[in-house]
Amino acid sequence: MSAHHEHTTHDAGHGHHGHHAHDDHADHGSLKTYVIGFVLAVILTVIPFWLVMGKVFSNSATTGFVLLALAAVQVVVHMVYFLHMNARSEGGWNMLALVFTGVVVVILMSGSLWVMYHLNNNMMPGMQHETTPESLKHTENPNEMHNMRNMP
């Protein structure tokens, strides 16, 4: 009885029969948009594969930056054509959340790369070209050198 009472109260208060108003319909896509998204995703996958396997750029840093740019484009293609995200969906909150996530990811990735670069250059600058410890360089007896390497 209480379920019937809630239903009648709901109908009387809103003037419709239990249906919610859907003012901002989310675009659920069509076969055409899914095919366009699929073709773009395949192209954006084949191009980086060709760039790496064909060694198109002589500089690996250039290849890396081009791959990152193509990856970012592919993320956008997936969000637009498969997740149906745009500035109108959910009143713009999806786009705001996406922008915030992008800013956080850029800060984290650039900070991590900056820290790793500086750790690589500054951690032990004298040890970069040296392969044997200084104590083993001055040993004259080869057997003694072999014994020193096996010491705990």
Side-chain angles (χ1 to χ4, degrees):
M1 175 149 163
S2 68
H4 178 65
H5 178 68
E6 289 175 11
H7 182 59
T8 56
T9 305
H10 178 72
D11 287 346
H14 295 290
H16 52 80
H17 300 285
H19 298 289
H20 298 285
H22 295 288
D23 292 332
D24 58 339
H25 290 284
D27 181 25
H28 294 292
S30 65
L31 181 62
K32 179 183 175 183
T33 59
Y34 283 120
V35 169
I36 291 171
F38 177 74
V39 168
L40 287 174
V42 168
I43 290 171
L44 290 169
T45 301
V46 169
I47 290 173
F49 184 79
W50 169 71
L51 289 174
V52 171
M53 295 306 289
K55 297 186 189 321
V56 174
F57 298 111
S58 60
N59 188 358
S60 62
T62 304
T63 303
F65 284 122
V66 170
L67 292 179
L68 285 175
L70 289 171
V73 171
Q74 189 163 23
V75 167
V76 171
V77 165
H78 281 266
M79 288 189 308
V80 169
Y81 286 100
F82 299 119
L83 297 177
H84 312 294
M85 289 184 67
N86 56 32
R88 295 183 318 265
S89 64
E90 300 291 330
W93 286 106
N94 279 344
M95 193 58 65
L96 185 63
L98 175 67
V99 168
F100 177 73
T101 302
V103 168
V104 170
V105 166
V106 166
I107 290 171
L108 286 173
M109 294 302 293
S110 60
S112 297
L113 290 173
W114 180 73
V115 167
M116 288 188 285
Y117 173 78
H118 285 287
L119 283 175
N120 185 38
N121 285 336
N122 299 327
M123 193 64 172
M124 297 174 77
M127 298 292 289
Q128 289 179 357
H129 300 292
E130 198 172 302
T131 57
T132 57
E134 194 67 34
S135 61
L136 294 179
K137 285 185 177 180
H138 300 296
T139 306
E140 295 176 9
N141 186 357
N143 290 334
E144 186 179 338
M145 186 182 296
H146 178 69
N147 291 339
M148 287 180 72
R149 285 187 191 150
N150 294 330
M151 289 178 68

